[in-house]
Amino acid sequence: MKQTAHPPDHRPARTPTGTAAAAAPAPARAATPRRPASQQWAAWAFLTPVTLYLVLFYAYPLYRNLDLSLRDYTVRSFVQGNAPFTGLENYGKILDDPTFAPALLHTVVFTAVCLVFQYAIGLALAVFFHQHFRLSATLRALFLVPWLLPLIVSASTWSWMLNSDSGIVNALMGTVGVDPVNWLTSPSWSLTSVIIANIWIGVPFNLVVLHSGLQSIPAGLYEAAALDGANAWQRFWRITFPLLRPVSAITLLLGLVYTLKVFDIIWIMTKGGPADSSTTFATWSYQLGFGNLLPAFGPGAAVGNLLVVAALVFGLVYIRVQRKQALS
Amino acid sequence: MNRSTSRTWWKTAIGVLLTAIMLFPVYWMLNVSLTRDQDMRKSPPDLLPLNGTLAGYRTVLGEQLPYLATSLVIGLGTVALTVALAAPAGYALAKLRPRGGGVLGFLFLVAQMIPGIIMAMGFYAIYLQLGLLQSVPGLIVADSTLAVPFAVLIFTAFMSGIPRELLQAAQMDGAGPWRTFRAIVLPMSRNAVVTVSLFAFLWSWSDFVFASTLVNGGAHEPITLGIYHYIGNNNQEWNAIMATAVVASLPAAVILVLAQRYVAAGVTAGAVKD
């Protein structure tokens, strides 16, 4: 998060040429003359720094990571750079690793459960705060706090709240007669604990994005529905939810891409433990590369590359969906 | 009339309640930061810091100031680098429309999908060879990768809204692309610069992945590592840990109070078209 960069739409930059050229009649086209060659040069002069940056600090690290995953590295060969090429051996190793199946399962469960709850809670809150009442905007702004806090802050706060002996969560459960739970130290609860903390962090993003989606639904539709005698639930189910579908799709896809790579929260709260019970691909990759005295960079990079592939697949789906919506 | 005001009054009450529930962990962090050592293990814990102490904050001031200073330097460096790279790029993509610009814009969207932990591993391998591990400039460059794609896309979207006539008028007056950019586009893009700077600063201030892989154990570590080490070495003094957390959260709080609309704009800018 903060896996939480939010790719803005670059559509505004693109559509003017596309649609204007196609739809406008000939005179309009004459108004936007073909770009002269000098302007091409100027454009690329402005773009050169960022292009170099993209090559040096995105492409090259990714290439190094791919290279790492295809070689047999030891600490010494890592420094000297003469590790033997082993092809896909590292990938075979991680597939055979007893951690693979649980890490896959936890990644899927973590991502799915976080997404569902973040979206459902975010949507409910967005609908609630879409109403007009005093302080509505101020309270909505306060909801952004969890999203803005450094993850180490949120993670350590939740660690203390979920502490078995002195945590407030167990204390509150005690007042209603529920037995205390070893949230972070029992293998059956650790994944739930990190999911709870991550849902808390993700709700604000869903709330803000879905709320802005609600604002584009014409109020007239609700008035018409109210005249027809539709109750609140019918108005939500027949108007809000269907009209929000494009925004929901984008929100969920972005959430998917960002939840897939959540690392800080899990690492800080449980380090993926106890006994791999909250390990996901992201923490497993870090564990292999940096978590031990004897780093296994090759397999670590291999796990990481699987994660890259997954993130890219969903990322491309996201871009396709957003393009389609921009065209419609 | 009477009925409708009473109805919104209830909504405000529910809204406040929901906000209180959501922000409870933040309150709890504050509460624990003010709790005395001897009350820390009390069961049930005190809900209010009635016997409050500032001992935790005294510890922060004594031990964490260097970390905070490092984070400040890294944050400002990241902001400068991000804006310097992304603003000209946004201008070119929005207004000069070079051939291949669409592909570049697409690559920036894709760049945001790459998990930070993978970038960290690649950076580690490169920095190890270059001798850049445990260096502040190295961390600034790595942290900027969190913000640069976002920044380019924000600048592109924002600058494409600047009226073409203004730029053409400048051209008529003999201004070249660079002058047009400096004298017209950049001043008009103030809001975009603010939004980008806020997020670049917040993300680098909050970064844990790059810090823990690239500068761990170095002379200059950011506050995220300061807290992390503090928890690791010492899991008794939770008031000091939470006091550090409160202090580390201050930029986020300040930014939210001062620039709330920029934050909300930044959050939504990406996900939804208008």
Side-chain angles (χ1 to χ4, degrees), chain A residues 306-324:
Chain A
L306 295 182
L307 204 54
V308 172
V309 171
L312 285 186
V313 168
F314 293 120
L316 292 177
V317 174
Y318 164 83
I319 288 166
R320 266 196 74 101
V321 169
Q322 204 177 40
R323 283 247 167 109
K324 228 161 116 199

Side-chain angles (χ1 to χ4, degrees), chain B residues 218-235:
Chain B
H220 299 285
E221 295 183 330
I223 186 64
T224 47
L225 281 190
I227 302 179
Y228 188 64
H229 296 324
Y230 210 74
I231 305 174
N233 298 336
N234 157 0
N235 38 33

Side-chain angles (χ1 to χ4, degrees), chain A residues 51-137:
Chain A
T51 310
L52 281 177
Y53 178 86
L54 207 55
V55 172
L56 283 177
F57 301 122
Y58 279 92
Y60 189 55
L62 281 180
Y63 161 75
R64 282 307 304 265
N65 207 51
L66 191 64
D67 187 58
L68 279 179
S69 74
L70 299 175
R71 290 174 190 274
D72 184 22
Y73 276 95
T74 60
V75 176
R76 190 184 303 149
S77 64
F78 198 78
V79 178
Q80 292 169 345
N82 56 357
F85 185 82
T86 55
L88 295 176
E89 202 177 281
N90 283 323
Y91 291 88
K93 253 188 231 164
I94 58 166
L95 282 174
D96 288 339
D97 196 297
T99 309
F100 184 85
L104 177 64
L105 179 72
H106 297 154
T107 307
V108 172
V109 170
F110 180 83
T111 310
V113 175
C114 284
L115 264 188
V116 168
F117 279 92
Q118 286 172 354
Y119 175 77
I121 299 172
L123 180 59
L125 289 169
V127 170
F128 178 77
F129 281 102
H130 189 51
Q131 299 167 305
H132 287 283
F133 56 86
R134 276 174 65 100
L135 293 178
S136 171

Side-chain angles (χ1 to χ4, degrees), chain A residues 278-291:
Chain A
S278 56
T279 290
T280 62
F281 277 174
T283 63
W284 188 27
S285 172
Y286 184 91
Q287 172 75 48
L288 288 167
F290 300 100

